[in-house]
Amino acid sequence: MIRSIGITAIALVASCTLYAQTPAKEEYRPAYHFSAPQNWLNDPNGLVYLDGEYHIFYQHNPYGNVSGHLSWGHAVSKDLLDWQHLPVALEEFKNGDDSTQTMIFSGSAVVDSANTSGFFEKGKKDGMVAIYTAHKHANLKGLAQYQNLAYSADKGRTWKHYNKNPVLDIGLTDFRDPYVFWYAPEKKWIMSVVKALEYNVQFYESPNLKDWKLLSEFGKQGDVSKIWECSALFQVPVEGSTDKKWVLTLSSGHRQKDYLAMQYFVGDFDGKNFTAQKQNEVLYMDEGKDFYAGIPFNNLPGKHQKPVMIGWINDWEYANKVPTEKFKGAMSVPRELSLKKTDAGYRLVQSPVSITGLLEKGTVLSNVKVNGNLPLTFKGESYQLTTEIEIGKAGKFGIRLFKSGDEESVLTYTISTHTLSFDRTKSGNVGFSDRFPSVESIVVKPQNGKIKLQLLVDKSIVEIFANGGEQVMTDVVFPTKHEGNIELFSEGGQVIFRKLNIQPVIK
Ligand code: FRU
């Protein structure tokens, strides 16, 4: 659950008029997915761990509930689930020689424990540096996007911009979203950054975060139906072995025309070049309409064997129009990433961090036989549902979420095609954008005659992990009836839900 203002934050908030109030109960505000205390949110930025705290910074409009005035919002957590909101960390520039309205676009944060940047006092090991895109307003003369630094000596609470910014400017208008990490084998920093309109990722190196040298480029492959944004390069362990491969993730087009998604490439990185394995299909991370701009945490402690990524749950196609008041946009539950070796090559497996601590024991059912429609007695709008279903000989079966009369968000498995689809065409308020009502499908092969599902349902969010996270779909929905009913169904024969566990969030 998300605390809006923690004890420590109250002191800080005294000097900051933003976020002085706890938000009232709101129709669509998720209970366990991160959202801004008020107003607009998009990409996660600067995900970094330091001394017992996970930091999330995020694209944020402190003044309104649509995209604009982009700044870095900030919150910290000890467990990746319970977030304490802090004052805005980096606010758009309004004055100074940069003139009005240079927004702080997406970027990353690192802990400069060796003080390579020289920003910190001698011996200080916990200095934090943010590397972000400065986006000059289109009306201003000059270049529109370049990379800047800001640094914090007090664990992200207060920041100074580097007085010799920018640190990387190549004279392009769409050059953004630096993701920086420490490359231990050569003791240097690596940055991946996109030339968005050219479907190109550039890699740079630096000894000190200030001077950057171009190493190589990667691009014009995979999905090039939309501009490329928010790249990240990181190592991911291969399941069942001690191997690790490098994965390059980025945000771009979707399998369905004119929606957005994240795609990835698996390969090797030698400190200079990223080389992708041969792949005969585009690899999408999440086939839903609402998982974008994800980046992994930097500086995770050793207990994390796998990288942890957070993505923005929304889609630019309609993001500004979604019918949420007081807040707009939320983050996924953090996901642990690993790779599975398959005959077709390596594939990402995504698993949400355990949210069990937030949940009641709930309803545990076994061997539920379904033939036709079976409404459950459970009612709720924020819960985790896990199930193992023996597919048997039915034609189709599934789960209707947020079911009230004709209103429903439907998850259907079609046995003949092994497809799992999510249909939100009748999910409630669908009229705010022509682009919103939609259906998508993923292929989910049964394993020993069963499929496994884990659903993270939270007011207006449905994250669907199939077969242990081998396939994923994330979508927003806006039910209007708020009855929180669930109905199981099967058409053309019987299906058995061998295990079914529905756990509501502790109130
Ligand atoms: C991705 C993105 C980034 C940019 C930011 C602006 O959603 O367009 O490329 O830095 O959002 O908010």
Side-chain angles (χ1 to χ4, degrees), residues 40 42-43 45 59-60 67 70 104-107 133 145 176-177 194 196 227-230 251 260 292-293 312 316:
W40 169 266
N42 61 296
D43 313 358
N45 298 147
Q59 288 288 278
H60 180 46
S67 175
L70 291 161
I104 315 276
F105 269 22
S106 287
T133 298
Q145 291 182 348
R176 60 178 176 270
D177 308 337
V194 294
I227 58 169
W228 283 18
E229 302 185 304
C230 300
S251 293
L260 300 178
Y292 196 70
W312 172 42
W316 280 117

Side-chain angles (χ1 to χ4, degrees), residues 26 28-29 65 321-329 460 478:
E26 295 152 49
Y28 295 124
R29 189 186 283 277
N65 209 11
K321 299 183 186 158
V322 298
T324 58
E325 284 169 26
K326 298 201 175 90
F327 83 101
K328 213 169 286 267
S460 50
F478 302 98

Side-chain angles (χ1 to χ4, degrees), residues 61-342:
N61 179 354
Y63 305 103
N65 209 11
V66 289
S67 175
H69 299 285
L70 291 161
S71 302
W72 279 25
H74 187 199
V76 289
S77 170
K78 290 198 172 4
D79 62 3
L80 288 165
L81 296 171
D82 183 10
W83 293 95
Q84 178 193 334
H85 291 292
L86 295 175
V88 169
L90 297 172
E91 241 198 291
E92 70 170 338
F93 298 98
K94 296 203 190 70
N95 311 299
D97 59 0
D98 224 14
S99 190
T100 51
Q101 281 207 348
T102 291
M103 294 194 270
I104 315 276
F105 269 22
S106 287
S108 48
V110 297
V111 176
D112 185 12
S113 52
N115 195 12
T116 62
S117 61
F119 284 143
F120 309 103
E121 277 168 27
K122 207 160 168 263
K124 190 164 173 60
K125 289 194 170 3
D126 60 358
M128 222 186 243
V129 181
I131 309 94
Y132 65 85
T133 298
H135 173 86
K136 247 189 190 176
H137 193 271
N139 292 340
L140 298 173
K141 287 213 180 86
L143 307 173
Q145 291 182 348
Y146 41 79
Q147 319 319 318
N148 276 1
L149 302 182
Y151 54 98
S152 168
D154 58 1
K155 302 188 176 169
R157 270 54 178 189
T158 59
W159 292 84
K160 287 196 177 100
H161 293 276
Y162 177 37
N163 59 12
K164 295 204 177 95
N165 278 331
V167 291
L168 184 59
D169 179 354
I170 59 169
L172 262 193
T173 52
D174 286 86
F175 177 53
R176 60 178 176 270
D177 308 337
Y179 183 80
V180 176
F181 63 94
W182 179 247
Y183 185 69
E186 293 177 27
K187 296 200 170 56
K188 64 184 184 186
W189 301 102
I190 297 283
M191 177 198 294
S192 72
V193 56
V194 294
K195 294 202 273 180
L197 309 185
E198 296 169 32
Y199 319 110
N200 182 287
V201 180
Q202 291 194 317
F203 299 106
Y204 289 82
E205 67 176 9
S206 172
N208 56 10
L209 296 164
K210 293 171 172 167
D211 304 302
W212 292 95
K213 185 176 141 220
L214 181 64
L215 292 170
S216 62
E217 300 195 338
F218 175 89
K220 291 215 173 81
Q221 39 185 306
D223 188 313
V224 292
S225 67
K226 290 276 183 186
I227 58 169
W228 283 18
E229 302 185 304
C230 300
S231 69
L233 179 67
F234 51 99
Q235 279 189 299
V236 182
V238 178
E239 287 181 2
S241 83
T242 52
D243 289 358
K244 286 185 172 185
K245 301 292 286 180
W246 288 86
V247 172
L248 176 67
T249 54
L250 55 98
S251 293
S252 52
H254 190 280
R255 196 184 291 282
Q256 289 178 29
K257 194 171 176 317
D258 287 340
Y259 288 100
L260 300 178
M262 287 187 68
Q263 62 172 319
Y264 67 97
F265 301 88
V266 184
D268 296 303
F269 180 68
D270 61 3
K272 187 160 191 260
N273 292 290
F274 173 74
T275 325
Q277 69 177 8
K278 267 212 186 66
Q279 57 187 56
N280 41 22
E281 56 179 340
V282 178
L283 304 178
Y284 294 100
M285 278 194 74
D286 183 311
E287 304 264 357
K289 302 286 160 38
D290 298 294
F291 186 81
Y292 196 70
I295 52 165
F297 274 87
N298 256 320
N299 203 43
L300 282 180
K303 68 172 182 189
H304 288 275
Q305 302 287 311
K306 299 175 180 175
V308 177
M309 176 180 277
I310 295 180
W312 172 42
I313 299 193
N314 217 335
D315 191 315
W316 280 117
E317 280 299 299
Y318 44 75
N320 275 292
K321 299 183 186 158
V322 298
T324 58
E325 284 169 26
K326 298 201 175 90
F327 83 101
K328 213 169 286 267
M331 297 300 179
S332 70
V333 166
R335 297 179 182 179
E336 291 181 333
L337 307 181
S338 58
L339 285 166
K340 189 172 175 183
K341 200 170 183 180
T342 73

